[in-house]
Amino acid sequence: MLRLLVQGTLVLATLAAAVALYLLVWPVPVSPVAWEAPDSPGYVGVFATNDVLARADSLTTLGESGPEAIIADASGRLYTGTSDGWIIRYDSGGVAPQRWVRTGGRPLGMAFDSTGTLWCADGALGLIAIAPDGSLRVVATEADGVPIGLADYVDVARDGRVYFSDATTKFGSSHGHALEASLLEILEHRGNGRLLEYDPSTDSIRVLLGGLVFANGVALTHDDSAVLVTETGSNRVLRVERLGPGRGAVTTLIDALPGFPDNITRGEDGRYWIALVSPRNALVDRLAPYPFLRKVVRRLPDAIRPAPVNYSHVVAVNDSGRVLASLQDPDGHFPMLTHALEHDGWLYLGSLSAPHAARLRWPDGR
């Protein structure tokens, strides 16, 4: 009996040592650095909890999932890209959907220029351009000699220059889909993301801003003088000047958001809509100064590792970053909300994973 007890103890000790060794030294794809997470404002004050988004209606995507972004063309037709590579087109008002173009990759952010060309940040292909007849060409796959790891969102200035985000040069398509890439980038927090500028007149591309922790949504300001970019991993939106002697200067539009910002879009009356894909995680914030412990977290099984929470949330701000509206659904009926388009009396909502898009009457929906 004593021998069995000793053997059992040895087995348990061996297993415990193996688990400890795994958690301490097993290789992981991240090399975290220490940083200080901004204080979270919580769901009080201007971010007080409400259920406005619970009233949103579904908008079919013909059985395709992940309508990450929704945009409108000059005729009022709507477009969204899905996880299976399709761009779905709707008639004005979100009716009569049809599969329009299949990119062969993962269409994420999209924007039209004045000629009717659709510019698309494709997570697998890079920056692509789609002509009105549906023909497609890949425009950019690298910048400054560095491959574009995950083209994420795009907007076009009045002068034709195209601004788009390379969310992460390290954790791109070879590491899986956009969600997995974002989790790795945020955990590491070295800032592998970039804001890029493409000039069609010279067919040239340059890095406008680097060192971003998952560069995500991109939007030109209403006066076209600057470009806004969401930095998902740092819970903030930055403003980068694009014209005049201050070109390239960077300021913060809004920071310390209560969630992880995804896409940003221009709304009406000077508004900008910011989609928060998930609330912040208190454990992730507390681990910010401890790179080694974040490696240990990465080694944990998926079931117990911190993960995004289904909490639908979009925020409207003005040019000064003042919060004008905060629309939520704590039950997350529309999960992984990534986009809000204010168009023709509706607020159209996109998602990284939902099996449909959604829309809410705005502002009557309040």
Side-chain angles (χ1 to χ4, degrees):
M1 185 66 179
L2 180 59
R3 178 182 296 178
L4 291 175
L5 183 60
V6 170
Q7 289 176 340
T9 301
L10 288 174
V11 169
L12 290 175
T14 301
L15 288 174
V19 170
L21 192 63
Y22 167 77
L23 291 175
L24 293 173
V25 302
W26 190 262
V28 290
V30 293
S31 180
V33 295
W35 69 290
E36 291 294 330
D39 292 337
S40 175
Y43 290 92
V44 297
V46 294
F47 299 118
T49 303
N50 61 71
D51 63 355
V52 173
L53 291 183
R55 308 167 200 167
D57 300 322
S58 297
L59 188 67
T60 180
T61 50
L62 301 176
E64 306 292 342
S65 63
E68 209 261 359
I70 302 175
I71 65 167
D73 66 13
S75 300
R77 293 179 298 186
L78 300 174
Y79 299 74
T80 187
T82 65
S83 58
D84 202 32
W86 279 105
I87 295 176
I88 307 293
R89 182 169 69 186
Y90 305 80
D91 286 350
S92 180
V95 300
Q98 59 176 305
R99 292 176 176 85
W100 180 51
V101 171
R102 195 172 195 179
T103 69
R106 183 19 169 147
L108 294 169
M110 300 181 290
F112 281 98
D113 67 15
S114 60
T115 70
T117 297
L118 176 63
W119 293 89
C120 176
D122 190 294
L125 302 179
L127 179 66
I128 63 177
I130 304 174
D133 64 3
S135 58
L136 180 154
R137 64 186 175 94
V138 177
V139 175
T141 59
E142 66 174 43
D144 279 3
V146 178
I148 295 170
L150 181 65
D152 198 310
Y153 204 77
V154 63
D155 201 4
V156 183
R158 296 186 192 113
D159 61 11
R161 294 184 186 183
V162 180
Y163 295 86
F164 67 107
S165 55
D166 181 8
T168 169
T169 58
K170 182 175 181 179
F171 305 111
S173 57
S174 63
H175 289 268
H177 51 66
L179 176 59
E180 177 66 8
S182 69
L183 296 176
L184 291 169
E185 178 74 15
I186 292 169
L187 189 65
E188 180 170 280
H189 224 272
R190 282 187 177 272
N192 301 299
R194 307 181 288 179
L195 174 64
L196 306 178
E197 177 191 73
Y198 172 72
D199 188 346
S201 67
T202 58
D203 190 31
S204 61
I205 187 170
R206 75 183 193 96
V207 178
L208 195 61
L209 180 64
L212 300 173
V213 182
F214 207 78
N216 207 325
V218 174
L220 272 297
T221 54
H222 288 277
D223 64 3
D224 219 41
S225 66
V227 58
L228 307 176
V229 57
T230 58
E231 189 179 12
T232 302
S234 296
N235 313 109
R236 65 183 180 178
V237 179
L238 300 176
R239 174 187 170 115
V240 186
E241 304 302 321
R242 59 175 292 268
L243 301 173
R247 176 174 166 83
V250 181
T251 53
T252 300
L253 177 70
I254 185 171
D255 61 1
L257 286 160
F260 293 99
D262 202 286
N263 292 337
I264 182 170
T265 57
R266 285 183 305 281
E268 297 179 6
D269 300 324
R271 287 186 289 269
Y272 301 95
W273 289 97
I274 305 167
L276 302 182
V277 70
S278 174
R280 287 169 59 174
N281 184 292
L283 175 60
V284 172
D285 284 349
R286 287 197 296 269
L287 289 177
Y290 307 109
F292 176 75
L293 292 181
R294 302 214 304 277
K295 278 190 174 185
V296 173
V297 167
R298 180 60 194 177
R299 297 180 182 113
L300 295 173
D302 289 346
I304 59 175
R305 192 186 303 157
V309 174
N310 290 334
Y311 188 112
S312 308
H313 194 181
V314 295
V315 172
V317 302
N318 65 10
D319 273 308
S320 300
R322 183 169 65 88
V323 175
L324 305 174
S326 174
L327 314 182
Q328 306 171 31
D329 175 13
D331 292 330
H333 292 104
F334 190 64
M336 301 293 291
L337 200 157
T338 54
H339 190 94
L341 169 70
E342 188 176 352
H343 175 69
D344 198 23
W346 292 92
L347 194 63
Y348 290 91
L349 306 174
S351 165
L352 191 64
S353 61
H356 56 79
R359 65 180 186 174
L360 175 78
R361 274 291 181 189
W362 179 258
D364 297 339
R366 292 195 65 186

